[in-house]
Amino acid sequence: MKITVASGKGGTGKTTVAVGMALALQADGNRVTFLDCDVEEPNGHIFIKPDIQKNEDVFIDVPEINLEKCDFCGKCSEICAFNALLVAGESVVVFHELCHGCGGCNYFCPKGAVTLIPKKIGTIEMGTAAEGLNFAHGQLEIGVPLSPPLVDAVKKKQNGGITIIDAPPGTSCPAVHTVRETDFCLLVTEPTPFGLNDLALAVEMTRALDVPCGILVNRAREGWDIIDKYCKQNNLKILMKIPLSREIAGAYSKGIPLTFLDKEWGVAFRRLFRDIREMVESERNNRHQW
Amino acid sequence: MKEITVISGKGGTGKTSITASFAVLAQNHVMADCDVDAANLHILLSPEIKAKHNFWGMPKVEIDAEKCSGCGICEDLCRYGAIKDGAVNSMECEGCRVCYHACPEKAIRLVESLAGEYYISKTRFGPFVHARLGVAQENSGKLVAEVRRQARELAQKEGRDLIITDGPPGIGCPVISSLGGTDLAVVVVEPTISSIHDLDRVLKLTEHFNVKTAVCINKWDLNLRNSSTIEEACLNMNIPVIGRIGYDITFMAAVMERKPVIQMTSSVVDNIVSLWHNAEGILNS
Ligand code: SF4
Ligand code: SF4
Ligand code: SF4
Ligand code: SF4
């Protein structure tokens, strides 16, 4: 079972929740894999403290022009949809940071002057934390604007059991690549107009991707009920609430997971997982009937 | 004309509340929201939309089954696995158009795709350019570039000499797109281990793009040890820490009231005012 933990907006407590659930399930004897797909700002390792045993670089293919063969016809620059090639006079400039590695220039060059060479876009680090807890995260190279291929590569590191995926914030390419084809998406939000605005976008994303979702309200406070109202109107289920508390914020600041702060959180996260599993199963049954 | 961009490695550090407060304090400026993926600044500025424009993303491709001979060339060439059994999965398609150029039957056509909208608005704190990227859309970097272009045009037209930009989180394509050519990047950080880790990556990014950078520590009294770690790291990198804002739930309360936090009564108001004066000082130096 693959659960992504996502949020329309950053800083809602996504990592706190993903880590809490992974540790609570592991403590209960489950085999768990924690994948941090927030490759721009991976933070899960700060709380999980894995022992990294393996590194793997991720590459895309970028062009290199052989000026001996090139006759500066301009074909490559004409077909490149990302404006990553410029042919001017007797020179060809490749803007590596714009290249998406589609291979088009290589395929269409009439002179065979384009070779593709690998360019590193990031690294995946893999390891284990406690007994039965596998960990992997991706780190995007600084200055590389292309995170989806790295996200896809991290996602391939699941290895049976329960997979908890910490998604990048937002609702565009990196988040979409993370959430799609998972069994459930838990959306973490906070009870403010900011939280609501971004939650609505995230819900729209999970619906477009056809992934069932549920809501977790972080920094909940008596009387702040705009998320409750929205969920009622839109037939969404609030699965858990974590209160606004300086103590929790303080523990977070030190890299202490919620489950270490108080055993009760372990119980709460296991209950959360049970609820999610039930929702996934009933969803599956519904789909079978159709 | 000057541009100041407020960013944060991690989201939720109070970046938008601080940007909105700058809007109250500054004069003769244009506001821009470049966090197009999860735009929030409009919630605090209550804009009155004056003009709305479509944002066209990369064209998508479509296969005309009538013309397709089933040769399979497109499927072999697509590096993103977006073509299967003679159909394009638009979620996987990167829009590279290799299939379109390669199809011997000219069976693949380009279809325009509406990726979002951008708006020119009026607010009680001056003109405002903002946008909304469609859900599950690519190209946030391009939309950011469009918002910035519109903001510059507007500033020029109205003779305004400052652009205040709420930047996107992270270090990927939208941030890169919002940093080029800005005069000052203010990075809002919290004294948490996560945020320190992200700060390190953001500072490498601003250095990579050669952007003048200053740091503001929000919730600085939440963890004094971490705050001094940040101060020390900044000192070593020669990056000024120009603001220290106390931990205060007024930040959230202000959002509840849809107001810039500076319009509330709280000790953080003074902190933000001095942050702004320091930022202005750097901008005008
Ligand atoms: S298509 Fe080939 S020959 Fe033509 S300009 Fe590009 S690299 Fe040179
Ligand atoms: S590989 Fe594709 S994106 Fe990269 S330069 Fe060649 S045509 Fe452009
Ligand atoms: S390349 Fe053209 S003709 Fe061949 S399978 Fe693709 S769409 Fe059909
Ligand atoms: S445009 Fe590029 S990514 Fe999209 S289907 Fe064609 S070859 Fe694949």
Coordinates of all heavy atoms in Angstrom, one line a residue, chain B residues 85-156:
Chain B
D85 N -0.1 2.4 -27.1 CA -1.2 1.9 -27.9 C -1.8 3.0 -28.7 O -3.1 3.2 -28.7 CB -2.2 1.2 -27.0 CG -1.6 0.2 -26.1 OD1 -0.6 -0.5 -26.6 OD2 -2.0 0.0 -25.0
G86 N -1.0 3.9 -29.3 CA -1.6 4.9 -30.2 C -2.3 6.0 -29.6 O -3.0 6.8 -30.2
A87 N -2.1 6.2 -28.2 CA -2.8 7.3 -27.6 C -1.8 8.1 -26.7 O -0.8 7.4 -26.1 CB -4.0 6.9 -26.8
V88 N -1.9 9.4 -26.5 CA -1.0 10.2 -25.7 C -1.7 10.3 -24.3 O -2.8 10.7 -24.2 CB -0.8 11.6 -26.3 CG1 0.1 12.4 -25.5 CG2 -0.3 11.4 -27.8
N89 N -0.9 10.1 -23.3 CA -1.3 10.4 -21.9 C -0.8 11.8 -21.6 O 0.4 12.0 -21.4 CB -0.7 9.3 -21.0 CG -1.1 9.6 -19.5 OD1 -1.5 10.7 -19.2 ND2 -0.8 8.6 -18.7
S90 N -1.7 12.7 -21.5 CA -1.3 14.1 -21.4 C -0.6 14.4 -20.0 O 0.2 15.3 -19.9 CB -2.4 15.1 -21.6 OG -3.4 14.9 -20.6
M91 N -0.9 13.5 -19.0 CA -0.2 13.7 -17.7 C 1.3 13.4 -17.8 O 2.1 13.9 -17.1 CB -0.8 12.7 -16.7 CG -2.1 13.2 -16.1 SD -1.8 14.5 -15.0 CE -3.5 14.8 -14.5
E92 N 1.6 12.5 -18.7 CA 3.0 12.1 -18.9 C 3.8 13.0 -19.9 O 5.0 13.0 -19.9 CB 3.2 10.6 -19.4 CG 2.4 9.6 -18.6 CD 3.1 9.2 -17.3 OE1 4.4 9.3 -17.3 OE2 2.5 8.7 -16.4
C93 N 3.0 13.5 -20.8 CA 3.6 14.3 -21.9 C 4.4 15.5 -21.4 O 3.8 16.3 -20.7 CB 2.5 14.6 -22.9 SG 3.2 15.7 -24.2
E94 N 5.6 15.6 -21.8 CA 6.4 16.8 -21.5 C 6.3 17.9 -22.5 O 6.9 19.0 -22.3 CB 7.9 16.4 -21.4 CG 8.4 15.8 -20.2 CD 8.7 16.8 -19.1 OE1 9.2 17.9 -19.4 OE2 8.3 16.5 -17.9
G95 N 5.6 17.6 -23.6 CA 5.5 18.7 -24.6 C 6.7 18.9 -25.5 O 6.9 20.0 -26.0
C96 N 7.5 17.9 -25.6 CA 8.8 18.1 -26.4 C 8.6 18.1 -27.9 O 9.4 18.6 -28.6 CB 9.8 17.0 -26.0 SG 9.4 15.4 -26.7
R97 N 7.4 17.6 -28.3 CA 7.1 17.6 -29.8 C 7.9 16.7 -30.7 O 7.9 16.9 -31.9 CB 7.1 19.0 -30.3 CG 6.0 19.9 -29.7 CD 6.1 21.3 -30.3 NE 6.1 22.2 -29.2 CZ 6.4 23.5 -29.3 NH1 6.8 24.0 -30.5 NH2 6.4 24.3 -28.3
V98 N 8.7 15.9 -30.1 CA 9.5 15.0 -30.9 C 8.6 14.1 -31.8 O 8.9 13.9 -33.0 CB 10.5 14.1 -30.0 CG1 11.1 13.0 -30.8 CG2 11.6 15.1 -29.4
C99 N 7.6 13.6 -31.2 CA 6.6 12.7 -31.9 C 6.0 13.5 -33.1 O 5.9 13.0 -34.2 CB 5.6 12.2 -31.0 SG 4.7 13.5 -30.1
Y100 N 5.7 14.7 -32.8 CA 5.0 15.6 -33.8 C 5.9 15.8 -35.0 O 5.5 15.6 -36.1 CB 4.7 16.9 -33.1 CG 4.3 18.0 -34.0 CD1 3.1 18.1 -34.6 CD2 5.3 19.0 -34.3 CE1 2.7 19.2 -35.4 CE2 5.0 20.1 -35.1 CZ 3.7 20.2 -35.7 OH 3.4 21.2 -36.5
H101 N 7.2 16.0 -34.7 CA 8.1 16.2 -35.9 C 8.4 14.9 -36.6 O 8.7 14.9 -37.7 CB 9.4 16.9 -35.4 CG 9.2 18.3 -34.9 ND1 8.9 19.3 -35.7 CD2 9.4 18.8 -33.6 CE1 8.8 20.4 -35.0 NE2 9.1 20.2 -33.8
A102 N 8.4 13.8 -35.8 CA 8.8 12.6 -36.4 C 7.8 11.8 -37.2 O 8.1 10.9 -38.0 CB 9.4 11.7 -35.3
C103 N 6.5 12.0 -36.9 CA 5.5 11.1 -37.4 C 5.5 11.2 -39.0 O 5.3 12.2 -39.5 CB 4.1 11.5 -36.9 SG 2.8 10.7 -37.7
P104 N 5.7 10.1 -39.6 CA 5.8 10.1 -41.1 C 4.4 10.3 -41.7 O 4.3 10.7 -42.9 CB 6.3 8.7 -41.4 CG 6.0 7.8 -40.2 CD 6.0 8.7 -39.1
E105 N 3.3 10.1 -41.0 CA 2.0 10.3 -41.6 C 1.4 11.7 -41.2 O 0.2 11.9 -41.6 CB 1.0 9.2 -41.1 CG 1.5 7.8 -41.2 CD 1.6 7.4 -42.7 OE1 0.9 8.0 -43.5 OE2 2.5 6.5 -43.0
K106 N 2.2 12.5 -40.5 CA 1.6 13.8 -40.0 C 0.3 13.6 -39.3 O -0.6 14.4 -39.4 CB 1.4 14.8 -41.2 CG 2.7 15.1 -42.0 CD 2.9 16.6 -42.0 CE 4.3 17.0 -42.5 NZ 5.5 16.3 -41.8
A107 N 0.3 12.5 -38.5 CA -0.9 12.2 -37.8 C -1.0 12.8 -36.4 O -2.0 12.7 -35.7 CB -1.0 10.7 -37.6
I108 N 0.1 13.5 -36.0 CA 0.1 14.1 -34.7 C -0.1 15.6 -34.8 O 0.6 16.3 -35.6 CB 1.4 13.8 -33.9 CG1 1.5 12.2 -33.8 CG2 1.5 14.5 -32.6 CD1 2.7 11.7 -33.1
R109 N -1.0 16.2 -34.0 CA -1.2 17.6 -34.1 C -1.0 18.2 -32.7 O -1.1 17.6 -31.7 CB -2.6 18.0 -34.7 CG -3.7 17.4 -33.9 CD -5.1 17.9 -34.4 NE -6.1 17.2 -33.6 CZ -6.8 16.2 -34.1 NH1 -6.7 15.9 -35.3 NH2 -7.7 15.6 -33.3
L110 N -0.7 19.5 -32.8 CA -0.5 20.3 -31.5 C -1.9 20.9 -31.1 O -2.6 21.4 -31.9 CB 0.5 21.4 -31.7 CG 1.9 21.0 -32.2 CD1 2.8 22.2 -32.4 CD2 2.5 20.0 -31.2
V111 N -2.2 20.8 -29.8 CA -3.4 21.5 -29.4 C -3.0 22.4 -28.3 O -2.2 22.1 -27.3 CB -4.4 20.5 -28.8 CG1 -5.3 19.9 -29.9 CG2 -3.8 19.3 -28.0
E112 N -3.5 23.6 -28.4 CA -3.2 24.7 -27.4 C -3.7 24.2 -26.1 O -4.8 23.6 -26.0 CB -4.0 26.0 -27.8 CG -3.5 26.7 -29.0 CD -2.2 27.5 -28.7 OE1 -1.9 27.6 -27.5 OE2 -1.6 27.9 -29.6
S113 N -3.0 24.6 -25.0 CA -3.6 24.2 -23.7 C -3.6 25.4 -22.7 O -2.6 26.1 -22.6 CB -2.9 23.0 -23.1 OG -1.7 23.4 -22.4
L114 N -4.7 25.6 -22.2 CA -4.9 26.7 -21.2 C -4.3 26.3 -19.9 O -4.8 25.3 -19.3 CB -6.3 27.1 -21.1 CG -6.7 28.3 -20.2 CD1 -6.1 29.5 -20.9 CD2 -8.2 28.4 -20.0
A115 N -3.2 26.9 -19.4 CA -2.5 26.4 -18.2 C -2.9 27.2 -17.0 O -2.6 26.8 -15.9 CB -1.0 26.4 -18.5
G116 N -3.5 28.4 -17.2 CA -3.8 29.2 -16.0 C -4.2 30.6 -16.5 O -4.5 30.8 -17.6
E117 N -4.3 31.5 -15.5 CA -4.7 32.9 -15.7 C -3.8 33.8 -15.0 O -3.3 33.4 -13.9 CB -6.1 33.1 -15.2 CG -7.2 32.4 -16.1 CD -8.6 32.6 -15.5 OE1 -8.7 32.8 -14.3 OE2 -9.5 32.6 -16.3
Y118 N -3.7 35.0 -15.4 CA -3.0 36.0 -14.6 C -3.9 37.3 -14.6 O -4.7 37.5 -15.5 CB -1.6 36.3 -15.0 CG -1.3 36.8 -16.4 CD1 -1.3 38.2 -16.6 CD2 -1.1 36.0 -17.4 CE1 -1.1 38.7 -17.8 CE2 -0.9 36.5 -18.7 CZ -0.9 37.9 -18.9 OH -0.7 38.4 -20.1
Y119 N -3.7 38.0 -13.5 CA -4.6 39.2 -13.2 C -3.8 40.4 -12.9 O -2.8 40.4 -12.3 CB -5.5 38.9 -12.0 CG -6.0 37.5 -12.0 CD1 -5.4 36.5 -11.3 CD2 -7.2 37.1 -12.7 CE1 -5.9 35.2 -11.2 CE2 -7.7 35.9 -12.6 CZ -7.0 34.9 -11.9 OH -7.5 33.6 -11.9
I120 N -4.4 41.5 -13.4 CA -3.9 42.9 -13.0 C -5.0 43.4 -12.1 O -6.1 43.6 -12.5 CB -3.7 43.8 -14.2 CG1 -3.0 43.1 -15.4 CG2 -3.0 45.1 -13.8 CD1 -1.5 42.9 -15.3
S121 N -4.6 43.8 -10.9 CA -5.6 44.2 -9.9 C -5.2 45.5 -9.2 O -4.1 45.9 -9.2 CB -5.8 43.1 -8.8 OG -6.3 41.9 -9.4
K122 N -6.3 46.0 -8.5 CA -6.1 47.2 -7.7 C -6.2 46.7 -6.3 O -7.1 45.9 -6.0 CB -7.2 48.2 -8.1 CG -6.8 49.6 -7.8 CD -8.0 50.5 -8.3 CE -8.7 51.0 -7.1 NZ -9.9 51.8 -7.4
T123 N -5.4 47.2 -5.4 CA -5.6 46.9 -3.9 C -5.5 48.2 -3.1 O -5.0 49.2 -3.7 CB -4.6 45.9 -3.4 OG1 -3.3 46.6 -3.2 CG2 -4.3 44.7 -4.3
R124 N -5.8 48.1 -1.9 CA -5.7 49.3 -1.0 C -4.2 49.6 -0.8 O -3.9 50.7 -0.2 CB -6.4 49.2 0.3 CG -6.1 47.9 1.1 CD -7.2 47.7 2.1 NE -6.9 46.8 3.2 CZ -6.8 45.4 3.1 NH1 -7.1 44.9 1.9 NH2 -6.5 44.7 4.1
F125 N -3.3 48.7 -1.2 CA -1.9 49.0 -1.0 C -1.2 49.1 -2.4 O 0.0 48.8 -2.5 CB -1.2 47.9 -0.2 CG -2.0 47.5 1.0 CD1 -2.6 46.3 1.1 CD2 -2.1 48.4 2.1 CE1 -3.3 45.9 2.3 CE2 -2.8 48.1 3.2 CZ -3.4 46.8 3.3
G126 N -1.9 49.5 -3.4 CA -1.3 49.7 -4.7 C -1.6 48.6 -5.7 O -2.3 47.6 -5.3
P127 N -1.1 48.7 -6.9 CA -1.5 47.8 -8.0 C -0.8 46.4 -7.7 O 0.2 46.3 -7.0 CB -0.9 48.4 -9.2 CG -0.1 49.5 -8.9 CD -0.3 49.9 -7.4
F128 N -1.4 45.4 -8.2 CA -1.0 44.0 -7.8 C -1.1 43.1 -9.1 O -2.2 43.0 -9.7 CB -1.9 43.6 -6.7 CG -1.8 42.2 -6.2 CD1 -0.5 41.6 -6.1 CD2 -2.9 41.4 -5.8 CE1 -0.4 40.3 -5.6 CE2 -2.8 40.2 -5.3 CZ -1.5 39.6 -5.2
V129 N -0.1 42.3 -9.4 CA -0.1 41.3 -10.4 C -0.1 40.0 -9.8 O 0.8 39.7 -9.0 CB 1.0 41.5 -11.4 CG1 0.9 40.5 -12.6 CG2 1.1 42.9 -12.0
H130 N -1.0 39.1 -10.1 CA -1.1 37.8 -9.5 C -1.6 36.8 -10.5 O -2.0 37.1 -11.6 CB -1.9 37.7 -8.2 CG -3.2 38.4 -8.3 ND1 -4.4 37.8 -7.9 CD2 -3.6 39.6 -8.8 CE1 -5.4 38.6 -8.0 NE2 -5.0 39.7 -8.6
A131 N -1.5 35.5 -10.2 CA -1.8 34.5 -11.2 C -2.4 33.3 -10.5 O -2.3 33.1 -9.3 CB -0.6 34.1 -12.0
R132 N -3.0 32.4 -11.3 CA -3.4 31.1 -10.8 C -3.0 30.1 -11.9 O -3.4 30.2 -13.0 CB -4.9 31.1 -10.7 CG -5.4 30.0 -9.9 CD -6.9 29.8 -10.0 NE -7.1 28.4 -10.0 CZ -8.0 27.7 -9.3 NH1 -8.8 28.4 -8.5 NH2 -8.1 26.4 -9.4
L133 N -2.2 29.1 -11.5 CA -1.8 28.1 -12.4 C -2.9 27.0 -12.2 O -3.3 26.6 -11.1 CB -0.4 27.5 -11.9 CG 0.2 26.5 -12.9 CD1 0.6 27.2 -14.2 CD2 1.4 25.9 -12.2
G134 N -3.3 26.5 -13.4 CA -4.3 25.4 -13.3 C -3.7 24.2 -12.6 O -2.5 24.0 -12.5
V135 N -4.6 23.4 -11.9 CA -4.1 22.3 -11.1 C -3.5 21.3 -12.1 O -3.9 21.1 -13.2 CB -5.3 21.7 -10.4 CG1 -5.0 20.3 -9.9 CG2 -5.5 22.6 -9.1
A136 N -2.4 20.7 -11.6 CA -1.7 19.6 -12.4 C -1.1 20.2 -13.7 O -1.0 19.5 -14.7 CB -2.6 18.4 -12.6
Q137 N -0.8 21.5 -13.7 CA -0.2 22.1 -14.9 C 1.3 22.2 -14.8 O 1.8 22.4 -13.7 CB -0.8 23.4 -15.2 CG -2.2 23.4 -15.7 CD -2.3 22.8 -17.1 OE1 -1.3 22.8 -17.8 NE2 -3.5 22.3 -17.4
E138 N 2.0 22.2 -15.9 CA 3.4 22.4 -15.8 C 3.7 23.9 -16.1 O 2.8 24.7 -16.0 CB 4.0 21.6 -17.0 CG 3.3 20.3 -17.3 CD 4.2 19.1 -17.0 OE1 5.4 19.2 -17.3 OE2 3.7 18.0 -16.6
N139 N 5.0 24.2 -16.3 CA 5.3 25.5 -16.6 C 5.1 26.6 -15.6 O 4.8 27.7 -16.0 CB 4.5 25.9 -17.9 CG 5.0 25.2 -19.1 OD1 6.1 25.3 -19.4 ND2 4.1 24.4 -19.7
S140 N 5.2 26.3 -14.3 CA 5.0 27.4 -13.4 C 6.1 28.4 -13.6 O 5.9 29.6 -13.4 CB 5.0 26.9 -12.0 OG 5.9 25.8 -11.8
G141 N 7.3 28.0 -14.0 CA 8.4 28.9 -14.2 C 8.1 30.0 -15.3 O 8.4 31.1 -15.1
K142 N 7.4 29.5 -16.3 CA 7.0 30.4 -17.4 C 5.9 31.4 -16.9 O 5.9 32.6 -17.3 CB 6.4 29.7 -18.6 CG 7.4 29.5 -19.7 CD 6.9 28.6 -20.8 CE 6.5 29.3 -22.0 NZ 5.9 28.3 -22.9
L143 N 5.0 31.0 -16.1 CA 4.0 31.9 -15.6 C 4.6 32.9 -14.6 O 4.2 34.1 -14.6 CB 2.9 31.0 -14.9 CG 1.7 31.8 -14.3 CD1 1.1 32.7 -15.4 CD2 0.6 30.8 -13.8
V144 N 5.6 32.4 -13.8 CA 6.3 33.4 -13.0 C 7.0 34.5 -13.8 O 6.8 35.7 -13.5 CB 7.4 32.6 -12.2 CG1 8.4 33.6 -11.5 CG2 6.8 31.8 -11.1
A145 N 7.6 34.1 -14.9 CA 8.2 35.1 -15.8 C 7.2 36.0 -16.3 O 7.5 37.2 -16.4 CB 9.0 34.3 -16.9
E146 N 6.0 35.5 -16.7 CA 5.0 36.4 -17.2 C 4.5 37.4 -16.1 O 4.3 38.6 -16.4 CB 3.8 35.5 -17.6 CG 2.7 36.3 -18.3 CD 3.1 36.9 -19.7 OE1 3.7 36.2 -20.5 OE2 2.8 38.1 -19.9
V147 N 4.3 36.9 -14.9 CA 3.9 37.8 -13.8 C 4.9 38.9 -13.6 O 4.6 40.1 -13.5 CB 3.6 37.0 -12.5 CG1 3.5 38.0 -11.3 CG2 2.4 36.1 -12.6
R148 N 6.2 38.5 -13.6 CA 7.2 39.5 -13.4 C 7.2 40.6 -14.5 O 7.4 41.7 -14.3 CB 8.6 38.9 -13.3 CG 8.7 38.1 -12.0 CD 10.1 37.5 -11.8 NE 11.1 38.6 -11.5 CZ 12.4 38.4 -11.7 NH1 12.8 37.3 -12.2 NH2 13.2 39.4 -11.5
R149 N 7.0 40.1 -15.7 CA 7.0 41.0 -16.9 C 5.9 42.0 -16.8 O 6.1 43.2 -17.0 CB 6.9 40.2 -18.2 CG 7.7 40.9 -19.3 CD 7.5 40.3 -20.6 NE 6.1 40.2 -21.0 CZ 5.7 39.3 -21.8 NH1 6.5 38.4 -22.3 NH2 4.4 39.2 -22.1
Q150 N 4.7 41.5 -16.4 CA 3.5 42.3 -16.3 C 3.8 43.4 -15.2 O 3.4 44.5 -15.3 CB 2.3 41.5 -16.0 CG 1.9 40.6 -17.1 CD 1.4 41.3 -18.3 OE1 0.9 42.5 -18.2 NE2 1.5 40.7 -19.5
A151 N 4.4 42.9 -14.1 CA 4.6 43.8 -12.9 C 5.6 45.0 -13.4 O 5.4 46.1 -13.0 CB 5.2 43.1 -11.8
R152 N 6.6 44.6 -14.1 CA 7.6 45.6 -14.6 C 6.9 46.6 -15.5 O 7.1 47.8 -15.4 CB 8.8 45.0 -15.3 CG 9.9 44.6 -14.3 CD 11.2 44.3 -15.1 NE 10.9 43.1 -15.9 CZ 11.3 41.9 -15.6 NH1 11.9 41.6 -14.5 NH2 11.0 40.8 -16.3
E153 N 6.1 46.1 -16.4 CA 5.4 47.0 -17.4 C 4.5 47.9 -16.6 O 4.5 49.1 -16.9 CB 4.5 46.1 -18.3 CG 5.2 45.9 -19.7 CD 4.4 45.0 -20.6 OE1 3.1 45.1 -20.5 OE2 5.0 44.2 -21.3
L154 N 3.8 47.4 -15.7 CA 2.8 48.2 -14.9 C 3.6 49.3 -14.1 O 3.2 50.5 -14.1 CB 2.1 47.3 -13.9 CG 0.8 47.8 -13.3 CD1 -0.2 48.1 -14.3 CD2 0.3 46.8 -12.3
A155 N 4.7 48.9 -13.5 CA 5.5 49.9 -12.8 C 6.0 51.0 -13.7 O 5.9 52.2 -13.3 CB 6.6 49.2 -12.1
Q156 N 6.4 50.6 -14.8 CA 6.9 51.6 -15.8 C 5.8 52.6 -16.2 O 6.0 53.8 -16.2 CB 7.4 50.9 -17.0 CG 8.7 51.5 -17.6 CD 9.6 50.3 -18.0 OE1 9.2 49.4 -18.7 NE2 10.9 50.4 -17.6

